[in-house]
Amino acid sequence: MRKDYLTVKGFGESEIIIQKSRFLTYINRVESEQQAQAFIEEIKAKHKSANHNCSAYLIGEHDSIQKANDDGEPSGTAGFPMLEVLKKQGLKDTVVVVTRYFGGIKLGGGGLIRAYGKATTEGLMAAQIVERRLHHLMKVSVDYTWLGKVENEIRTSAYPLDRIDYAEAVELFLYVPINMEETFNDWIAEMTNGQAIVVPQTQDFIEFDT
């Protein structure tokens, strides 16, 4: 299972005009090829009168699924440069569609490659790139006499606090990076003189802005 990777925060759209042609970019996070294809079809339906709806996507931990479609533009001048931008950014699970309304001025092969690459880059800025890091949710149970100290230490630490449950004992749930569990356990034990009980919970991804 992957531990951390880059992807887009969510849906994003942008528009640029190059030599009177409008390039509308739509980007989203997807977890399957079916989701990517559905997103592409949604954009194509929205812009039926456009000259081109070019697309590209990368899916899977090792980019096992990747496609590029020029949708009528000269071969290799649209989908491929769009896909290359995603690769160079190191993104995973991302789909992009660039819709072009022709403005009457031909851009040539090199011009098209630059235009679709720039449109994709602009779209990524709108969608925002995030890093997803795998964490272990840990439950820390302590007596109420330790609550003030433990909560204060946790809130000023690098471990994101998820929630606090006030049961028979206080239960604090927080996220610890994978492979940092032993260091975390030692930290908690030292802080509470060994009075805390730490129980691992689920593993989840936490998102951080890049």
Side-chain angles (χ1 to χ4, degrees), residues 55-204:
S55 59
Y57 54 83
L58 286 171
I59 300 169
E61 181 177 358
H62 303 291
D63 302 335
S64 55
I65 301 174
Q66 50 181 286
K67 295 284 179 63
N69 191 320
D70 295 313
D71 194 41
E73 291 282 28
S75 180
T77 63
F80 180 74
M82 291 161 59
L83 184 63
E84 283 300 295
V85 170
L86 300 184
K87 288 182 177 181
K88 286 179 180 178
Q89 293 281 1
L91 298 176
K92 308 291 184 184
D93 300 344
T94 303
V95 59
V96 54
V97 181
V98 176
T99 297
R100 182 190 183 192
Y101 286 91
F102 183 54
I105 301 175
K106 292 185 177 181
L107 302 180
L112 287 172
I113 290 172
R114 289 189 293 272
Y116 279 99
K118 182 178 181 181
T120 302
T121 300
E122 293 286 333
L124 289 174
M125 292 176 62
Q128 298 182 44
I129 296 175
V130 295
E131 182 177 11
R132 304 193 80 211
R133 303 174 193 164
L134 187 61
H135 284 64
H136 216 143
L137 182 64
M138 309 290 275
K139 180 176 75 172
V140 179
S141 301
V142 293
D143 184 85
Y144 277 86
T145 56
W146 289 100
L147 176 59
K149 179 180 180 181
V150 173
E151 181 179 359
N152 182 65
E153 291 288 341
I154 287 176
R155 288 191 182 280
T156 56
S157 74
Y159 303 112
L161 179 64
D162 180 61
R163 70 182 191 277
I164 300 176
D165 290 346
Y166 300 94
E168 184 174 340
V170 182
E171 298 176 342
L172 301 97
F173 294 81
L174 57 157
Y175 290 100
V176 177
I178 293 298
N179 298 328
M180 291 289 291
E181 293 90 344
E182 186 175 346
T183 299
F184 173 77
N185 290 340
D186 292 343
W187 180 63
I188 291 292
E190 182 178 355
M191 183 196 312
T192 63
N193 293 332
Q195 299 300 304
I197 299 174
V198 180
V199 180
Q201 307 292 297
T202 58
Q203 292 186 5
D204 299 292

Side-chain angles (χ1 to χ4, degrees), residues 21-39:
S21 281
R22 293 176 64 210
F23 291 86
L24 309 174
T25 304
Y26 301 90
I27 290 180
N28 213 347
R29 184 194 300 179
V30 289
E31 296 180 353
S32 69
E33 189 164 21
Q34 291 75 18
Q35 289 182 359
Q37 291 288 354
F39 182 76

